[in-house]
Amino acid sequence: ETGVTQTPRHLVMGMTNKKSLKCEQHLGHNAMYWYKQSAKKPLELMFVYSLEERVENNSVPSRFSPECPNSSHLFLHLHTLQPEDSALYLCASSQGPGTGGYEQYFGPGTRLTVT
Amino acid sequence: SQQGEEDPQALSIQEGENATMNCSYKTSINNLQWYRQNSGRGLVHLILIRSNEREKHSGRLRVTLDTSKKSSSLLITASRAADTASYFCATDAAGAQKLVFGQGTRLTINP
């Protein structure tokens, strides 16, 4: 248990559905991240939030929409996804803004399948 | 890109043997971190080594950093079946606010 929880753990959705992934950290951290992990590809950073402000958006398609209502919660809203978006989506948090030499704590991930 | 690249991509050894994984990167860094991931799970931080450090130890783990060669190695001594996992290096570039992960080394410990 790393102190970062993600729900749901598994999600199957059609291309026309709208769903949301939720991440919560209980560590008092100031920065939160969304990553995408696909088979045979490096971990891809999607979004970074520092003190609830988005500081990084790695050219992610608009069908992925992040939301950070407070420093403990992070959402990833999904709509009209494509089959190639099927992946493990990982949330992480760290103590300081950005990385600043701080380790990141990861949640268990949401396994997303788009049909 | 300053993406770390791990070598080898896969490693299979007998329990009790030592496992060595290597990571190379391309640009100047503030620090380099190693993470472990069990199949289908989140990553777990193992160790962080700063650019002014050359070696760090944590239990059975030993990490070295050679900034002149832009490379790092992770040594796991006296391996156990529970060490079976993927291992990733991640670099924190100077001025960046993010970690960049490599593709990882898949380590299998055979009983």
Side-chain angles (χ1 to χ4, degrees):
Chain A
E1 180 60 51
T2 64
V4 181
T5 59
Q6 289 187 245
T7 55
R9 295 293 308 278
H10 300 272
L11 177 63
V12 179
M13 60 185 289
M15 290 189 285
T16 58
N17 291 159
K18 290 184 180 181
K19 297 286 184 181
S20 296
L21 309 184
K22 178 182 176 182
C23 175
E24 183 174 1
Q25 58 98 357
H26 312 274
L27 303 168
H29 287 167
N30 291 323
M32 297 187 76
Y33 312 80
W34 279 118
Y35 289 91
K36 175 184 178 183
Q37 187 176 37
S38 306
K40 300 182 180 180
K41 293 177 76 174
L43 204 63
E44 299 174 60
L45 178 65
M46 300 176 73
F47 302 104
V48 180
Y49 276 84
S50 174
L51 299 171
E52 302 156 40
E53 178 181 343
R54 191 190 310 179
V55 297
E56 183 91 19
N57 177 345
N58 264 7
S59 302
V60 179
S62 59
R63 57 185 183 269
F64 295 91
S65 175
E67 177 189 3
C68 187
N70 55 62
S71 60
S72 298
H73 294 86
L74 185 65
F75 294 89
L76 187 62
H77 304 299
L78 315 171
H79 65 97
T80 59
L81 295 190
Q82 304 299 311
E84 60 264 29
D85 296 322
S86 298
L88 181 67
Y89 288 84
L90 293 164
C91 172
S93 69
S94 65
Q95 183 176 350
T99 58
Y102 300 115
E103 63 197 68
Q104 293 187 10
Y105 292 76
F106 283 78
T110 294
R111 173 66 64 186
L112 173 67
T113 303
V114 181
T115 59
Chain B
S1 168
Q2 58 136 50
Q3 179 181 343
E5 296 182 1
E6 287 92 343
D7 171 61
Q9 291 188 7
L11 178 63
S12 181
I13 61 174
Q14 294 300 118
E15 194 168 19
E17 295 180 339
N18 296 341
T20 299
M21 289 157 275
N22 302 296
C23 171
S24 60
Y25 57 91
K26 298 179 180 177
T27 62
S28 296
I29 61 171
N30 290 324
N31 66 76
L32 184 144
Q33 303 182 32
W34 284 91
Y35 288 80
R36 184 188 75 228
Q37 183 181 34
N38 290 86
S39 182
R41 307 281 299 185
L43 280 71
V44 175
H45 182 266
L46 295 176
I47 202 162
L48 180 154
I49 187 165
R50 299 192 185 281
S51 59
N52 61 353
E53 298 175 310
R54 292 297 168 258
E55 187 171 313
K56 285 192 82 169
H57 297 255
S58 178
R60 293 183 295 112
L61 306 181
R62 172 177 167 250
V63 168
T64 62
L65 179 64
D66 187 335
T67 53
S68 66
K69 295 181 179 179
K70 292 186 171 57
S71 67
S72 174
S73 67
L74 170 66
L75 169 67
I76 303 174
T77 60
S79 62
R80 305 168 181 169
D83 295 329
T84 294
S86 292
Y87 291 81
F88 297 86
C89 69
T91 50
D92 175 5
Q97 289 197 46
K98 60 184 180 182
L99 289 176
V100 178
F101 287 81
Q103 288 191 294
T105 292
R106 174 68 189 167
L107 175 65
T108 302
I109 309 299
N110 302 304

